[in-house]
Amino acid sequence: MIDFKSRIAEIIAATEIGLTPAEVRAMIEVPQDSKMGDFAFPCFRLAKTMRKAPQLIAADVAARIADNELFSSVQQVNAYVNMFLDKAAFAKELVTAVTEEGANYGRSNGGAGRTVIVEYSSPNIAKPFHIGHIRSTVIGNAIYKLYDAVGFNVVRINHLGDYGTQFGKMIVAYRKWGSEEELAHDPIKTLLKYYTRFHEEAAEHPELNDEAREAFVRLEAGAPEEVALWEKFRALSLAEFNRVYDMLGITFDSYAGESFYSDKMPRFIEELKEKGLLVQSQGAQIVDLEPYGMTPAMITKSDGSSLYVTRDIAAAVYRKEHYDFYKCLYVVASQQNLHFKQWKKVLELMGYEWQKDCIHVPFGLVSLADGDDIKMMSTREGRVVFLEDVLTTAVDKTAEIMRQKNAKDVDIDTVSREVGIGAVIFQELSNNRIKDYVFDWNNVLNFDGETGPYVQYTHARACSVLRNAGVDVNKLSVNDIDFSYLTIPSAYELIKLIYRVPEVVVDAADKYEPSILTRHLVDIAQAFNKFYHDEHILVDDEAERSAKLALVNASRIVIANCLGLLGIKAPERM
Ligand code: ARG
């Protein structure tokens, strides 16, 4: 990774201002406005120690470093030293680094030796894997890739919702109205149908609820028949979820869901009791959170069965003991804010100091634009859209667009999958995750907007320029290139954006905010297209042409790498 900041810090520290290079490095800024330089060094902090006005210090530092060959110019503006890098030197460093590092450009190793857990997706067994889950799945996967790219050891956990009293209901419903055949044909929709029917009938025959409770108690006690049914539901559901994960190219390291903790709970209930935290309340056991302005956390129900929060307590301790995480991230909707606040408070009260490293990474709601032509299904909770249908529709619509565009030499089957699914992922990661947003095909698949297809198309365009030039990208060398050809404004702007990729990746990981990278990627694609339109690339002059092609190749690499970090493919032809 090229580190101009460190090199500049050494140059500045050598002017004897009483700071180490590391201290100087931490103070160096990248001005928002490129007219203020590529880098700036503010001197305010030095005024005290040097007993001199900061403007005068800045003037002195500027004068002493101006001759360095790294800079084309150094200016003092108020308390700042503004530095402009020599453009050709900069272009050379950057294009060389990207060409040499290839698929690794953008990666760094600040996280080496530490483990981060990313828990995401976590759908509920026998319930729809609906469009709401797409957010957790896609954002979580991007966060995993970002942490991996900054060198952490990352464990991906799918905390399946595979436990709880609803399975008692499902078992009873299946026994009463279920058909093996119907179930095998379309598992989740069928189970959902039985479940809905259970609620309808239970409204008139409340004794059904007692039956369900008994079935759940037997399930918890490990009764073979109930366990077999539960396992069947779980396996059928997982097979359906895996279809979606395959489409998205997502895998997990662990599917230890809620049921995994069912036998680990007594220890914590005992511990809560010992620490004097459990209070009896109408037969149930709770932790009173009133002093912290929250409703109580219910630990066991009056029938002794455990709850969602209890299983999350067991899961957190298990993960700490098993993985010794540096951070454990929970990518879960902001609707569950209260749950996570209560849970963290309980862990804190239990004396688990590491609870501060458990971080809820919330996100907003997604809704559908009016009149969107997508299949819906009614459930007790309302009308839901299945994620699988969204993905298939995206692929179909993309194939249609590509046929209209008359794409040549393109394997429409493969590419429409890569672009259609990529478009849905990109859309998910475009906005600040906490914002609610409206899913609208007109935005998602717009090839000219700030979308996945636009960025992928830019990548394919770069590939096509290189193909037309007859460049073998695996053999492209940057040794004899005259980089002064890349100091023209559109090329230089592109170079500066590419240079910032590694630090943007770190920033996006630190903030659990993939959209920081998505937006930067859009900036790169736009800068590339400006370069492409402003400049004639395949010029006759050999030296100029080689320099420009080297930048096209670097752009191709970087766009593909960034798409990869978001979980999106980069087709070479579109
Ligand atoms: N299964 C839950 C749902 O679909 C999400 C689980 C979130 N993770 C957790 N550790 N509580 O709403």
Side-chain angles (χ1 to χ4, degrees):
M1 185 158 125
I2 339 168
D3 190 357
F4 285 118
K5 275 193 185 172
S6 293
R7 291 188 33 197
I8 295 171
E10 271 164 27
I11 297 169
I12 293 178
T15 63
E16 290 156 359
I17 49 176
L19 294 177
T20 64
E23 287 165 332
V24 175
R25 192 187 184 285
M27 288 163 70
I28 294 175
E29 297 172 1
V30 175
Q32 287 288 336
D33 180 354
S34 57
K35 285 193 211 63
M36 306 305 280
D38 300 307
F39 293 96
F41 178 63
C43 297
F44 303 102
R45 250 182 61 191
L46 294 168
K48 225 180 182 166
T49 51
M50 296 182 72
R51 297 167 179 278
K52 211 163 139 185
Q55 302 88 289
L56 295 179
I57 303 173
D60 189 38
V61 171
R64 293 181 62 175
I65 68 173
D67 285 344
N68 194 292
E69 59 187 15
L70 193 60
F71 306 121
S72 62
S73 123
V74 178
Q75 297 162 4
Q76 171 245 327
V77 177
N78 300 324
Y80 286 88
V81 182
N82 291 343
M83 295 157 275
F84 294 81
L85 293 180
D86 179 74
K87 292 182 179 168
F90 184 85
K92 179 177 178 187
E93 298 261 1
L94 191 273
V95 174
T96 307
V98 177
T99 313
E100 279 170 5
E101 291 176 36
N104 286 325
Y105 183 78
R107 301 180 70 90
S108 50
N109 56 10
R114 283 175 291 177
T115 296
V116 165
I117 292 179
V118 188
E119 187 218 276
Y120 61 106
S121 198
S122 312
N124 300 320
I125 295 296
K127 292 272 187 72
F129 193 169
H130 57 74
I131 184 167
H133 286 120
I134 193 182
R135 302 220 71 191
S136 174
T137 308
V138 166
I139 295 170
N141 194 51
I143 292 177
Y144 144 65
K145 286 179 178 269
L146 289 167
Y147 272 85
D148 179 64
V150 296
F152 285 92
N153 169 39
V154 193
V155 181
R156 299 162 290 179
I157 299 183
N158 192 335
H159 188 74
L160 290 174
D162 57 1
Y163 207 69
T165 44
Q166 73 271 26
F167 287 95
K169 296 177 184 169
M170 218 100 62
I171 288 169
V172 171
Y174 181 71
R175 280 185 177 146
K176 289 202 185 314
W177 315 296
S179 119
E180 181 98 21
E181 225 185 302
E182 197 181 21
L183 186 63
H185 176 66
D186 195 351
I188 292 186
K189 284 180 189 153
T190 305
L191 284 171
L192 202 61
K193 198 174 81 184
Y194 300 156
Y195 189 64
T196 310
R197 176 152 174 206
F198 179 93
H199 282 277
E200 281 160 16
E201 305 229 358
E204 275 160 41
H205 310 282
E207 65 279 7
L208 277 175
N209 285 318
D210 299 323
E211 258 184 74
R213 221 167 285 131
E214 279 161 32
F216 182 66
V217 171
R218 279 198 301 276
L219 175 64
E220 276 211 295
E225 276 181 37
E226 279 75 13
V227 171
L229 278 178
W230 171 82
E231 275 173 352
K232 184 198 203 98
F233 300 159
R234 189 178 193 271
L236 287 169
S237 301
L238 256 183
E240 246 187 274
F241 298 156
N242 279 328
R243 262 201 332 260
V244 175
Y245 295 137
D246 281 350
M247 288 172 100
L248 291 166
I250 288 179
T251 45
F252 294 91
D253 301 302
S254 161
Y255 287 88
E258 294 185 41
S259 68
F260 180 77
Y261 302 100
S262 62
D263 61 352
K264 299 179 178 54
M265 243 97 67
R267 167 183 156 192
F268 299 102
I269 295 172
E270 210 37 54
E271 195 177 321
L272 282 162
K273 230 178 254 159
E274 265 165 31
K275 292 181 174 159
L277 294 166
L278 273 193
V279 184
Q280 302 287 335
S281 167
Q282 295 163 337
Q285 308 197 76
I286 61 163
V287 177
D288 178 21
L289 297 176
E290 168 116 59
Y292 315 100
M294 285 183 272
T295 47
M298 206 196 285
I299 304 294
T300 62
K301 286 192 194 169
S302 52
D303 63 8
S305 55
S306 67
L307 285 110
Y308 186 52
V309 70
T310 327
R311 295 189 281 274
D312 260 329
I313 292 168
V317 179
Y318 175 85
R319 290 174 188 175
K320 185 66 195 175
E321 290 175 353
H322 196 75
Y323 298 106
D324 192 22
F325 57 74
Y326 161 72
K327 270 186 201 175
C328 183
L329 309 178
Y330 293 75
V331 186
V332 185
S334 59
Q335 285 146 302
Q336 298 195 25
N337 281 355
L338 175 62
H339 162 76
F340 282 103
K341 269 169 75 181
Q342 292 175 314
W343 156 82
K344 265 176 88 86
K345 188 46 100 181
V346 175
L347 287 173
E348 185 192 322
L349 294 172
M350 289 172 89
Y352 291 120
E353 183 263 337
W354 48 260
Q355 58 77 26
K356 63 176 189 345
D357 307 320
C358 292
I359 296 151
H360 176 207
V361 178
F363 52 82
L365 282 177
V366 47
S367 55
L368 290 168
D370 281 343
D372 236 324
D373 53 342
I374 181 114
K375 277 186 268 169
M376 297 236 203
M377 185 177 164
S378 298
T379 68
R380 203 160 69 88
E381 288 86 18
R383 285 158 70 68
V384 301
V385 174
F386 281 74
L387 178 49
E388 190 171 1
D389 292 334
V390 174
L391 297 177
T392 333
T393 308
V395 173
D396 292 347
K397 281 181 185 279
T398 306
E400 204 178 295
I401 296 173
M402 292 180 66
R403 268 184 221 108
Q404 278 165 12
K405 281 188 184 279
N406 240 331
K408 278 194 291 301
D409 294 331
V410 176
D411 168 5
I412 293 199
D413 257 9
T414 309
V415 177
S416 62
R417 279 178 85 87
E418 296 179 344
V419 175
I421 290 169
V424 174
I425 298 177
F426 198 94
Q427 156 76 40
E428 262 313 312
L429 302 175
S430 289
N431 300 314
N432 242 330
R433 65 179 150 73
I434 202 67
K435 275 200 200 151
D436 294 349
Y437 87 93
V438 179
F439 186 94
D440 184 344
W441 288 117
N442 296 326
N443 296 336
V444 177
L445 291 177
N446 181 353
F447 279 51
D448 302 314
E450 299 183 355
T451 62
Y454 169 76
V455 174
Q456 285 173 316
Y457 189 74
T458 306
H459 172 265
R461 168 176 277 167
C463 292
S464 134
V465 172
L466 293 163
R467 265 196 314 269
N468 292 339
V471 173
D472 178 350
V473 294
N474 299 313
K475 295 202 187 113
L476 191 128
S477 150
V478 289
N479 287 337
D480 302 314
I481 283 178
D482 178 353
F483 285 96
S484 61
Y485 286 110
L486 300 182
T487 58
I488 41 176
S490 66
Y492 198 59
E493 282 309 310
L494 175 57
I495 287 171
K496 281 201 293 186
L497 287 168
I498 294 176
Y499 163 70
R500 287 195 44 224
V501 165
E503 69 189 47
V504 168
V505 171
V506 171
D507 190 35
D510 277 350
K511 299 191 170 109
Y512 324 116
E513 189 59 87
S515 67
I516 294 176
L517 180 62
T518 314
R519 284 198 298 266
H520 192 70
L521 180 54
V522 168
D523 290 346
I524 290 178
Q526 287 172 342
F528 177 83
N529 286 318
K530 184 163 168 34
F531 167 62
Y532 176 85
H533 287 296
D534 287 4
E535 288 295 322
H536 185 193
I537 293 171
L538 300 180
V539 289
D540 291 335
D541 183 290
E542 182 112 14
E544 181 178 348
R545 178 181 154 116
S546 304
K548 286 175 168 174
L549 285 170
L551 179 56
V552 172
N553 186 48
S555 308
R556 168 192 75 85
I557 292 171
V558 166
I559 294 174
N561 291 0
C562 293
L563 283 171
L565 288 177
L566 300 171
I568 302 173
K569 293 267 185 348
E572 291 181 7
R573 296 171 197 258
M574 262 173 82

